[in-house]
Amino acid sequence: MGKEEATPDAGEWVRLMLRIRDERDRAAFAALFRHFAPRVKGFLMKSGADAALAEECAQDVMTTLWNKAHLFDPSRASVATWIFTIARNRRIDLLRRDRRPEPEDLPWGPEAEPDQEDALALQQESERLRAALKALPEAQRELIERAYWGDVSHSEIAAETGLPLGTIKSRIRLALDRLRHAMK
């Protein structure tokens, strides 16, 4: 019988993650990769991805772990939770990408010019939206801009800002409600 490698405990995962974050330790990354990459691939396959896509996505998740290790905070999440949250977000991104029309499905040729009345109405509505955005509290406006114009997921915003995910979602919901009322 071959020698089996013991699975590290949660404390060891944190130590490895901190070595990646603080020292860019390749051996620590290799240990996390060996353990988590196959599990992330399995998770993605169970959620409907084919093997090739799951493999590609798992590689992307582990690359994100390396590149964004500075965002890991052991007081906010376990290493496994953090990695599987990244995987879940990548899966959502892939689903969104798959629902977008392919370039060959888009209409070709010049679009008809909108009539002046429609163009004026669109311009006025855009100005109202700009004013409504400007009237939002700065924290809410920043979150709306990051989520809708920066194409950043709520989880990524939470990781980048250090705010709880629920706070991010609440602030965005409040901001959207204010914008809805302002645009009536």
Side-chain angles (χ1 to χ4, degrees):
M1 256 179 107
K3 182 180 169 185
E4 286 190 28
E5 190 176 316
T7 301
D9 64 6
E12 181 61 20
W13 292 134
V14 170
R15 285 188 284 285
L16 291 170
M17 194 64 213
L18 294 177
R19 284 178 27 207
I20 295 168
R21 182 185 78 183
D22 300 338
E23 304 164 25
R24 305 301 281 169
D25 187 316
R26 291 175 185 260
F29 177 73
L32 285 172
F33 191 97
R34 272 191 308 274
H35 180 78
F36 284 103
R39 286 161 177 81
V40 167
K41 180 180 176 183
F43 166 75
L44 294 167
M45 288 176 67
K46 285 179 186 170
S47 69
D50 64 40
L53 184 60
E55 176 76 26
E56 179 184 335
C57 194
Q59 295 281 333
D60 186 44
V61 167
M62 298 311 290
T63 301
T64 300
L65 176 143
W66 176 263
N67 291 328
K68 295 194 175 188
H70 64 281
L71 297 174
F72 174 70
D73 180 355
S75 69
R76 298 195 58 221
S78 71
V79 173
T81 300
W82 193 66
I83 291 171
F84 281 96
T85 299
I86 294 169
R88 179 187 158 276
N89 291 339
R90 286 293 177 268
R91 178 71 180 133
I92 291 168
D93 291 344
L94 290 172
L95 288 171
R96 287 180 184 152
R97 183 190 74 192
D98 291 345
R99 290 188 185 132
R100 291 187 183 139
E102 292 295 321
E104 60 269 7
D105 296 336
L106 298 173
W108 288 95
E111 290 186 26
E113 288 290 320
D115 64 21
Q116 284 189 324
E117 188 176 309
D118 288 343
L120 181 60
L122 182 60
Q123 181 181 2
Q124 289 171 341
E125 193 168 302
S126 295
E127 288 170 11
R128 285 179 48 219
L129 179 58
R130 253 189 303 280
L133 278 166
K134 202 172 187 177
L136 287 175
E138 186 176 341
Q140 290 179 359
R141 182 177 63 247
E142 183 180 310
L143 292 175
I144 290 289
E145 288 171 349
R146 290 174 87 177
Y148 292 94
W149 286 281
D151 203 25
V152 180
S153 75
H154 294 176
S155 297
E156 290 171 326
I157 294 171
E160 291 169 6
T161 63
L163 293 170
L165 180 59
T167 300
I168 299 296
K169 289 182 176 188
S170 293
R171 286 184 183 172
I172 289 174
R173 209 172 12 258
L174 286 170
L176 289 173
D177 194 44
R178 285 183 175 186
L179 289 174
R180 245 183 251 109
H181 288 297
M183 296 301 289
K184 284 185 180 179

